[in-house]
Amino acid sequence: MSPNKMEPLQLQPNIGVYFSANDHVYDWAIAFLNSFRTFNPDLRLVLIPFNETCDRLFALQTQYNFELYIDPSFSQLEAIGQALELGHTPTGPYWFRRYAAFWGKLDRFLYLDTRQVVLADLIPLITALDEFEFDFLHYDCAIDQVYQAGKFRQNLLLKSKGRGFLSGLWASKKGLFSLEEFEEFAVQALEIRDRLNPRNTDQAFINYCCDMKPVRYGHFAEVLGGICQNAWARQSGHIYRENNKYYRWDYGGLDHKKQVVLIHWAGYKWDDFLPHNWILISFMGNSKMLYWLEYIGRLIVKAPHLLLKKLISQQHINFAYHYIKGRIKQ
């Protein structure tokens, strides 16, 4: 990427990052904020409150230098989420608040969920929008988490659409969508709700909007090169640090020795046995030792369950387990 192209955007105050969180994910937020400011000390950071339970989080505003973005459209966005929700995720409608970013404070922005850590300078991910002439850039893809198999999905794929990107980390531009457009797309989406993933409502919705508009969107790794294809924590290989950068070692794999920009623990709970937990805890600041002790205690308590789960996951043992379980039920 040309430094001459990057520098003017880097100095503009309307380039930055939105993140969403509340007090329920406070521990995740601490790790996220520490990692973000380690690699992006001056980049503008804006919190979109996930819901009204954010008092502890708001108290961190000065320490980590982030702004608040509260918009009257939150209730209307939540109403879209509620209309599309099938009852699987009670908090699902709150995820739709993130889409107020399209008419928010920043002209070029990255959106990040809080259950991740930042391991690199994020400005190249934002400036890539203009440098490579994209409207929207994303990371991981999992089409089954967005569209149901069938004719609708097939038709999208035939038109080179329907990538099925995940909604936890992406970059875009102010004005790409309006609230009125979202409300119109919501009406359309309700008509084909059975062709969208039943659980990941906000994720299916933003994909649907990008595919219907249509939007020029692409994958960060494919556009930029040299960075890992996936940010989700559950990937093969391991992560190592070299010259203050993080890389994935996965000999023979597609991401071998490529840079890790973000690690995303989507779908995990804080008290799970987390992959790459050492990286997460390394960004817990003064509480690092406390969290290591908590993690060791958790590992001891859960060790028998983890061992049983590992054994059951083996093909022949898994078959025998379910066969015996089925016989017992009879």
Side-chain angles (χ1 to χ4, degrees):
M1 185 175 294
S2 167
N4 293 330
K5 286 188 177 182
M6 184 189 302
E7 188 174 357
L9 284 173
Q10 191 172 1
L11 296 176
Q12 290 182 16
N14 57 353
I15 302 296
V17 174
Y18 290 104
F19 74 108
S20 177
N22 64 1
D23 290 347
H24 180 70
V25 292
Y26 183 84
D27 292 324
W28 291 101
I30 292 292
F32 168 79
L33 289 165
N34 280 322
S35 68
F36 182 90
R37 284 301 176 211
T38 296
F39 292 95
N40 299 269
D42 302 313
L43 185 58
R44 196 169 172 188
L45 181 62
V46 181
L47 168 66
I48 298 176
F50 182 75
N51 59 14
E52 311 314 312
T53 312
C54 294
D55 291 346
R56 292 182 71 199
L57 198 60
F58 289 165
L60 301 173
Q61 189 175 354
T62 301
Q63 181 180 352
Y64 293 102
N65 187 26
F66 63 82
E67 307 166 40
L68 299 181
Y69 174 38
I70 299 174
D71 194 85
S73 65
F74 285 173
S75 59
Q76 291 162 277
L77 290 167
E78 289 169 31
I80 293 174
Q82 190 61 55
L84 292 166
E85 178 60 47
L86 298 180
H88 298 293
T89 313
T91 59
Y94 292 121
W95 288 112
F96 280 74
R97 287 187 175 196
R98 72 181 76 182
Y99 300 131
F102 288 108
W103 49 86
K105 298 184 175 190
L106 305 170
D107 290 339
R108 299 289 185 273
F109 60 86
L110 188 67
Y111 170 81
L112 298 175
D113 284 348
T114 310
R115 291 182 183 179
Q116 54 192 310
V117 293
V118 177
L119 300 177
D121 176 9
L122 296 178
I123 289 176
L125 274 65
I126 304 172
T127 57
L129 291 162
D130 290 312
E131 180 146 1
F132 299 101
E133 300 181 354
F134 281 88
D135 299 316
F136 190 103
L137 290 168
H138 61 82
Y139 248 107
D140 308 54
C141 293
I143 194 167
D144 286 337
Q145 298 296 315
V146 174
Y147 295 116
Q148 299 287 76
K151 195 67 176 178
F152 180 77
R153 185 167 99 177
Q154 181 184 340
N155 287 337
L156 286 176
L157 294 171
L158 286 170
K159 297 174 185 176
S160 300
K161 300 178 182 180
R163 292 292 297 274
F165 58 83
L166 306 190
S167 60
L169 50 166
W170 43 273
S172 194
K173 303 175 179 181
K174 184 175 181 176
L176 181 62
F177 292 106
S178 67
L179 177 60
E180 291 72 26
E181 281 182 296
F182 278 148
E183 290 177 330
E184 290 172 9
F185 282 130
V187 173
Q188 298 172 24
L190 280 168
E191 295 177 0
I192 53 126
R193 185 64 185 88
D194 61 327
R195 284 160 259 182
L196 306 177
N197 184 280
R199 304 184 71 91
N200 303 319
T201 311
D202 71 284
Q203 189 161 275
F205 180 70
I206 193 62
N207 272 265
Y208 178 81
C209 293
C210 286
D211 286 328
M212 294 300 108
K213 187 159 182 170
V215 166
R216 295 174 298 178
Y217 66 85
H219 193 299
F220 282 117
E222 294 171 3
V223 171
L224 294 172
I227 62 176
C228 289
Q229 187 82 9
N230 296 301
W232 194 40
R234 192 175 177 180
Q235 302 294 325
S236 60
H238 70 272
I239 295 173
Y240 65 97
R241 186 175 181 179
E242 186 177 281
N243 298 323
N244 204 34
K245 292 184 178 180
Y246 291 80
Y247 299 90
R248 182 174 299 281
W249 183 273
D250 186 20
Y251 190 76
L254 295 176
D255 282 341
H256 181 55
K257 298 182 76 172
K258 290 186 179 179
Q259 187 178 2
V260 180
V261 176
L262 295 149
I263 304 177
H264 192 196
W265 286 272
Y268 285 98
K269 297 178 181 178
W270 182 259
D271 60 354
D272 285 340
F273 185 56
L274 303 170
H276 311 300
N277 195 75
W278 67 273
I279 296 178
L280 183 67
I281 294 180
S282 72
F283 289 108
M284 291 309 299
N286 295 332
S287 302
K288 194 183 303 183
M289 182 58 67
L290 176 64
Y291 283 99
W292 270 120
L293 292 172
E294 177 188 315
Y295 177 73
I296 292 169
R298 186 189 313 156
L299 181 59
I300 293 170
V301 171
K302 291 190 174 184
H305 173 73
L306 291 169
L307 179 59
L308 180 61
K309 188 176 179 181
K310 183 70 175 177
L311 287 172
I312 290 174
S313 69
Q314 304 305 308
Q315 182 181 2
H316 297 297
I317 295 176
N318 184 266
F319 177 80
Y321 169 79
H322 287 288
Y323 175 77
I324 294 169
K325 187 177 179 181
R327 297 291 291 181
I328 291 172
K329 284 184 176 180
Q330 290 178 4

